[in-house]
Amino acid sequence: MLRKLDNAKMGRSNLGWLNSVFHFSFAEYHNPDNIKFGKLRVINDDLVEPNTGFGPHPHRDMEIISYVVKGELTHADSMGNKRTLTRGHAQYMSAGTGIVHSEQNFGKETLRFLQIWIFPDKLRHTPNYGDYEFAWEERKNKWLLLASNKESSAPIKINQDINMYVIELDKDREIDFPVKENRQAYLVQIEGASIINQLDLSMRDGLEVVEEDLKIKAKETSHLLIVEMAKSE
């Protein structure tokens, strides 16, 4: 089963300093037919103007991954962590019993990043933070595993049964992605355009996949992210 989510029909918010596209219901955007997808609760595609950002604010009981598409993302939190990440890098935060953090753009260009929230396997985990500076070449025409569960070999380990991959696929290149029985996946066309199982996807489009293998062909250089997980009950 495949369901394409056209970015033109997604929720949007423009606060001047922040311009967002919501893949799922978030903030003032509410769509009862699109609250979540399995354990995936939020994917926000955020554009943050220079010298602005999200000031200190709390989170709890959520696994949060931020993936930088362009610009500089500076994270600071109540555990004393402070880091600046750039294109292709990712940060992870297990909010657990509670954490306060900020996400700022102190760079000279607009920051674009994906904000991804995943339900944890249980409540009240001990809060945790981590990040990883992935070399861009690691995702050139091959799947790069960013994050997975605590038993995996992934650089980023989270408290849930998911596998998060990215790829940059050159124009006219093809690649497969298996979605096995009792599994499902959500794909984001971050940049570029592609044909996936005869569906055309453009920048910021999403694709829900349930128990169906994917055949992906890049119409132009394509930057893609996939969150693969157990099928919803």
mmCIF file of all heavy atoms in Angstrom, residues 176-201:
data_model
loop_
_atom_site.group_PDB
_atom_site.id
_atom_site.type_symbol
_atom_site.label_atom_id
_atom_site.label_comp_id
_atom_site.label_asym_id
_atom_site.label_seq_id
_atom_site.Cartn_x
_atom_site.Cartn_y
_atom_site.Cartn_z
ATOM 1 N N ASP A 176 16.611 0.269 -4.781
ATOM 2 C CA ASP A 176 15.444 -0.349 -4.146
ATOM 3 C C ASP A 176 15.487 -0.106 -2.637
ATOM 4 O O ASP A 176 16.551 0.147 -2.051
ATOM 5 C CB ASP A 176 15.431 -1.855 -4.404
ATOM 6 C CG ASP A 176 15.255 -2.192 -5.881
ATOM 7 O OD1 ASP A 176 14.658 -1.369 -6.608
ATOM 8 O OD2 ASP A 176 15.721 -3.273 -6.307
ATOM 9 N N PHE A 177 14.300 -0.203 -2.030
ATOM 10 C CA PHE A 177 14.210 -0.180 -0.562
ATOM 11 C C PHE A 177 13.129 -1.172 -0.159
ATOM 12 O O PHE A 177 11.962 -1.005 -0.519
ATOM 13 C CB PHE A 177 13.862 1.214 -0.040
ATOM 14 C CG PHE A 177 13.904 1.296 1.466
ATOM 15 C CD1 PHE A 177 15.084 1.620 2.114
ATOM 16 C CD2 PHE A 177 12.779 1.020 2.231
ATOM 17 C CE1 PHE A 177 15.143 1.674 3.506
ATOM 18 C CE2 PHE A 177 12.825 1.063 3.620
ATOM 19 C CZ PHE A 177 14.005 1.389 4.255
ATOM 20 N N PRO A 178 13.480 -2.245 0.585
ATOM 21 C CA PRO A 178 12.485 -3.249 0.963
ATOM 22 C C PRO A 178 11.674 -2.816 2.185
ATOM 23 O O PRO A 178 12.218 -2.275 3.150
ATOM 24 C CB PRO A 178 13.352 -4.475 1.295
ATOM 25 C CG PRO A 178 14.651 -3.890 1.772
ATOM 26 C CD PRO A 178 14.850 -2.626 0.984
ATOM 27 N N VAL A 179 10.371 -3.035 2.124
ATOM 28 C CA VAL A 179 9.495 -2.844 3.285
ATOM 29 C C VAL A 179 8.795 -4.185 3.499
ATOM 30 O O VAL A 179 7.855 -4.535 2.786
ATOM 31 C CB VAL A 179 8.486 -1.709 3.072
ATOM 32 C CG1 VAL A 179 7.621 -1.524 4.323
ATOM 33 C CG2 VAL A 179 9.213 -0.402 2.745
ATOM 34 N N LYS A 180 9.267 -4.933 4.459
ATOM 35 C CA LYS A 180 8.891 -6.341 4.615
ATOM 36 C C LYS A 180 7.509 -6.504 5.253
ATOM 37 O O LYS A 180 6.878 -5.528 5.668
ATOM 38 C CB LYS A 180 9.956 -7.056 5.450
ATOM 39 C CG LYS A 180 11.333 -7.050 4.794
ATOM 40 C CD LYS A 180 12.369 -7.723 5.660
ATOM 41 C CE LYS A 180 13.746 -7.699 4.995
ATOM 42 N NZ LYS A 180 14.784 -8.326 5.848
ATOM 43 N N GLU A 181 7.076 -7.745 5.322
ATOM 44 C CA GLU A 181 5.805 -8.062 5.955
ATOM 45 C C GLU A 181 5.793 -7.554 7.391
ATOM 46 O O GLU A 181 6.794 -7.660 8.117
ATOM 47 C CB GLU A 181 5.570 -9.581 5.928
ATOM 48 C CG GLU A 181 4.213 -10.006 6.457
ATOM 49 C CD GLU A 181 4.005 -11.506 6.358
ATOM 50 O OE1 GLU A 181 4.906 -12.204 5.852
ATOM 51 O OE2 GLU A 181 2.928 -11.968 6.789
ATOM 52 N N ASN A 182 4.686 -6.983 7.814
ATOM 53 C CA ASN A 182 4.502 -6.420 9.148
ATOM 54 C C ASN A 182 5.392 -5.206 9.422
ATOM 55 O O ASN A 182 5.647 -4.868 10.574
ATOM 56 C CB ASN A 182 4.720 -7.482 10.233
ATOM 57 C CG ASN A 182 3.689 -8.586 10.164
ATOM 58 O OD1 ASN A 182 2.511 -8.340 9.916
ATOM 59 N ND2 ASN A 182 4.134 -9.821 10.348
ATOM 60 N N ARG A 183 5.848 -4.557 8.334
ATOM 61 C CA ARG A 183 6.627 -3.322 8.476
ATOM 62 C C ARG A 183 6.000 -2.231 7.603
ATOM 63 O O ARG A 183 5.260 -2.506 6.647
ATOM 64 C CB ARG A 183 8.087 -3.537 8.055
ATOM 65 C CG ARG A 183 8.817 -4.638 8.789
ATOM 66 C CD ARG A 183 9.029 -4.345 10.259
ATOM 67 N NE ARG A 183 10.040 -3.297 10.467
ATOM 68 C CZ ARG A 183 10.459 -2.892 11.676
ATOM 69 N NH1 ARG A 183 9.928 -3.432 12.775
ATOM 70 N NH2 ARG A 183 11.368 -1.946 11.783
ATOM 71 N N GLN A 184 6.311 -1.002 7.912
ATOM 72 C CA GLN A 184 5.847 0.137 7.138
ATOM 73 C C GLN A 184 6.928 1.206 7.157
ATOM 74 O O GLN A 184 7.886 1.128 7.945
ATOM 75 C CB GLN A 184 4.533 0.687 7.685
ATOM 76 C CG GLN A 184 4.604 1.246 9.098
ATOM 77 C CD GLN A 184 3.230 1.631 9.639
ATOM 78 O OE1 GLN A 184 2.243 0.920 9.448
ATOM 79 N NE2 GLN A 184 3.158 2.767 10.331
ATOM 80 N N ALA A 185 6.791 2.209 6.283
ATOM 81 C CA ALA A 185 7.822 3.238 6.188
ATOM 82 C C ALA A 185 7.202 4.558 5.734
ATOM 83 O O ALA A 185 6.173 4.568 5.052
ATOM 84 C CB ALA A 185 8.918 2.814 5.215
ATOM 85 N N TYR A 186 7.856 5.641 6.118
ATOM 86 C CA TYR A 186 7.467 6.964 5.640
ATOM 87 C C TYR A 186 8.673 7.592 4.961
ATOM 88 O O TYR A 186 9.774 7.637 5.538
ATOM 89 C CB TYR A 186 7.008 7.864 6.792
ATOM 90 C CG TYR A 186 6.351 9.134 6.311
ATOM 91 C CD1 TYR A 186 5.008 9.162 5.981
ATOM 92 C CD2 TYR A 186 7.091 10.305 6.153
ATOM 93 C CE1 TYR A 186 4.401 10.322 5.508
ATOM 94 C CE2 TYR A 186 6.497 11.472 5.687
ATOM 95 C CZ TYR A 186 5.151 11.471 5.378
ATOM 96 O OH TYR A 186 4.554 12.623 4.906
ATOM 97 N N LEU A 187 8.469 8.048 3.722
ATOM 98 C CA LEU A 187 9.550 8.619 2.921
ATOM 99 C C LEU A 187 9.326 10.106 2.719
ATOM 100 O O LEU A 187 8.201 10.549 2.483
ATOM 101 C CB LEU A 187 9.624 7.906 1.574
ATOM 102 C CG LEU A 187 10.673 8.385 0.559
ATOM 103 C CD1 LEU A 187 11.196 7.204 -0.265
ATOM 104 C CD2 LEU A 187 10.099 9.453 -0.385
ATOM 105 N N VAL A 188 10.399 10.888 2.811
ATOM 106 C CA VAL A 188 10.360 12.317 2.537
ATOM 107 C C VAL A 188 11.290 12.626 1.370
ATOM 108 O O VAL A 188 12.472 12.253 1.393
ATOM 109 C CB VAL A 188 10.808 13.153 3.762
ATOM 110 C CG1 VAL A 188 10.755 14.641 3.435
ATOM 111 C CG2 VAL A 188 9.938 12.853 4.969
ATOM 112 N N GLN A 189 10.752 13.277 0.340
ATOM 113 C CA GLN A 189 11.571 13.776 -0.767
ATOM 114 C C GLN A 189 12.121 15.127 -0.311
ATOM 115 O O GLN A 189 11.499 16.165 -0.475
ATOM 116 C CB GLN A 189 10.726 13.933 -2.039
ATOM 117 C CG GLN A 189 11.500 14.411 -3.252
ATOM 118 C CD GLN A 189 12.245 13.303 -3.971
ATOM 119 O OE1 GLN A 189 11.727 12.196 -4.137
ATOM 120 N NE2 GLN A 189 13.453 13.584 -4.409
ATOM 121 N N ILE A 190 13.307 15.111 0.284
ATOM 122 C CA ILE A 190 13.860 16.333 0.878
ATOM 123 C C ILE A 190 14.218 17.346 -0.208
ATOM 124 O O ILE A 190 13.868 18.535 -0.126
ATOM 125 C CB ILE A 190 15.107 16.016 1.726
ATOM 126 C CG1 ILE A 190 14.781 15.003 2.823
ATOM 127 C CG2 ILE A 190 15.657 17.304 2.348
ATOM 128 C CD1 ILE A 190 16.004 14.553 3.604
ATOM 129 N N GLU A 191 14.956 16.884 -1.216
ATOM 130 C CA GLU A 191 15.366 17.734 -2.333
ATOM 131 C C GLU A 191 15.250 16.932 -3.623
ATOM 132 O O GLU A 191 15.315 15.702 -3.616
ATOM 133 C CB GLU A 191 16.816 18.203 -2.151
ATOM 134 C CG GLU A 191 17.036 19.077 -0.926
ATOM 135 C CD GLU A 191 18.512 19.364 -0.683
ATOM 136 O OE1 GLU A 191 19.274 18.402 -0.436
ATOM 137 O OE2 GLU A 191 18.894 20.549 -0.722
ATOM 138 N N GLY A 192 15.088 17.640 -4.745
ATOM 139 C CA GLY A 192 15.041 16.983 -6.036
ATOM 140 C C GLY A 192 13.668 16.410 -6.350
ATOM 141 O O GLY A 192 12.647 16.805 -5.783
ATOM 142 N N ALA A 193 13.643 15.441 -7.266
ATOM 143 C CA ALA A 193 12.404 14.801 -7.707
ATOM 144 C C ALA A 193 12.715 13.371 -8.109
ATOM 145 O O ALA A 193 13.800 13.069 -8.608
ATOM 146 C CB ALA A 193 11.798 15.561 -8.887
ATOM 147 N N SER A 194 11.747 12.485 -7.898
ATOM 148 C CA SER A 194 11.970 11.076 -8.203
ATOM 149 C C SER A 194 10.673 10.397 -8.624
ATOM 150 O O SER A 194 9.576 10.948 -8.452
ATOM 151 C CB SER A 194 12.578 10.356 -6.992
ATOM 152 O OG SER A 194 11.677 10.389 -5.897
ATOM 153 N N ILE A 195 10.810 9.214 -9.180
ATOM 154 C CA ILE A 195 9.676 8.342 -9.482
ATOM 155 C C ILE A 195 9.804 7.127 -8.578
ATOM 156 O O ILE A 195 10.824 6.430 -8.584
ATOM 157 C CB ILE A 195 9.676 7.894 -10.957
ATOM 158 C CG1 ILE A 195 9.620 9.110 -11.882
ATOM 159 C CG2 ILE A 195 8.500 6.965 -11.230
ATOM 160 C CD1 ILE A 195 9.808 8.760 -13.359
ATOM 161 N N ILE A 196 8.762 6.892 -7.776
ATOM 162 C CA ILE A 196 8.785 5.784 -6.825
ATOM 163 C C ILE A 196 7.567 4.911 -7.088
ATOM 164 O O ILE A 196 6.425 5.353 -6.925
ATOM 165 C CB ILE A 196 8.792 6.300 -5.376
ATOM 166 C CG1 ILE A 196 10.000 7.219 -5.146
ATOM 167 C CG2 ILE A 196 8.820 5.121 -4.400
ATOM 168 C CD1 ILE A 196 10.066 7.826 -3.766
ATOM 169 N N ASN A 197 7.811 3.692 -7.542
ATOM 170 C CA ASN A 197 6.710 2.782 -7.893
ATOM 171 C C ASN A 197 5.668 3.475 -8.760
ATOM 172 O O ASN A 197 4.467 3.417 -8.507
ATOM 173 C CB ASN A 197 6.065 2.208 -6.629
ATOM 174 C CG ASN A 197 6.995 1.275 -5.871
ATOM 175 O OD1 ASN A 197 8.217 1.364 -5.982
ATOM 176 N ND2 ASN A 197 6.440 0.387 -5.091
ATOM 177 N N GLN A 198 6.150 4.199 -9.762
ATOM 178 C CA GLN A 198 5.332 4.895 -10.766
ATOM 179 C C GLN A 198 4.632 6.154 -10.226
ATOM 180 O O GLN A 198 3.811 6.748 -10.929
ATOM 181 C CB GLN A 198 4.295 3.943 -11.390
ATOM 182 C CG GLN A 198 4.946 2.753 -12.085
ATOM 183 C CD GLN A 198 3.949 1.840 -12.766
ATOM 184 O OE1 GLN A 198 2.798 1.752 -12.357
ATOM 185 N NE2 GLN A 198 4.384 1.163 -13.817
ATOM 186 N N LEU A 199 4.972 6.579 -9.007
ATOM 187 C CA LEU A 199 4.459 7.834 -8.458
ATOM 188 C C LEU A 199 5.531 8.907 -8.574
ATOM 189 O O LEU A 199 6.706 8.667 -8.256
ATOM 190 C CB LEU A 199 4.069 7.672 -6.994
ATOM 191 C CG LEU A 199 2.860 6.786 -6.686
ATOM 192 C CD1 LEU A 199 2.731 6.599 -5.171
ATOM 193 C CD2 LEU A 199 1.586 7.390 -7.249
ATOM 194 N N ASP A 200 5.138 10.101 -9.021
ATOM 195 C CA ASP A 200 6.070 11.227 -9.112
ATOM 196 C C ASP A 200 6.096 11.979 -7.792
ATOM 197 O O ASP A 200 5.051 12.409 -7.297
ATOM 198 C CB ASP A 200 5.641 12.181 -10.230
ATOM 199 C CG ASP A 200 5.937 11.633 -11.615
ATOM 200 O OD1 ASP A 200 7.110 11.338 -11.899
ATOM 201 O OD2 ASP A 200 4.982 11.476 -12.401
ATOM 202 N N LEU A 201 7.303 12.148 -7.245
ATOM 203 C CA LEU A 201 7.471 12.916 -6.019
ATOM 204 C C LEU A 201 8.360 14.123 -6.273
ATOM 205 O O LEU A 201 9.407 14.011 -6.928
ATOM 206 C CB LEU A 201 8.079 12.060 -4.904
ATOM 207 C CG LEU A 201 7.057 11.364 -3.983
ATOM 208 C CD1 LEU A 201 6.385 10.217 -4.725
ATOM 209 C CD2 LEU A 201 7.734 10.860 -2.717
#
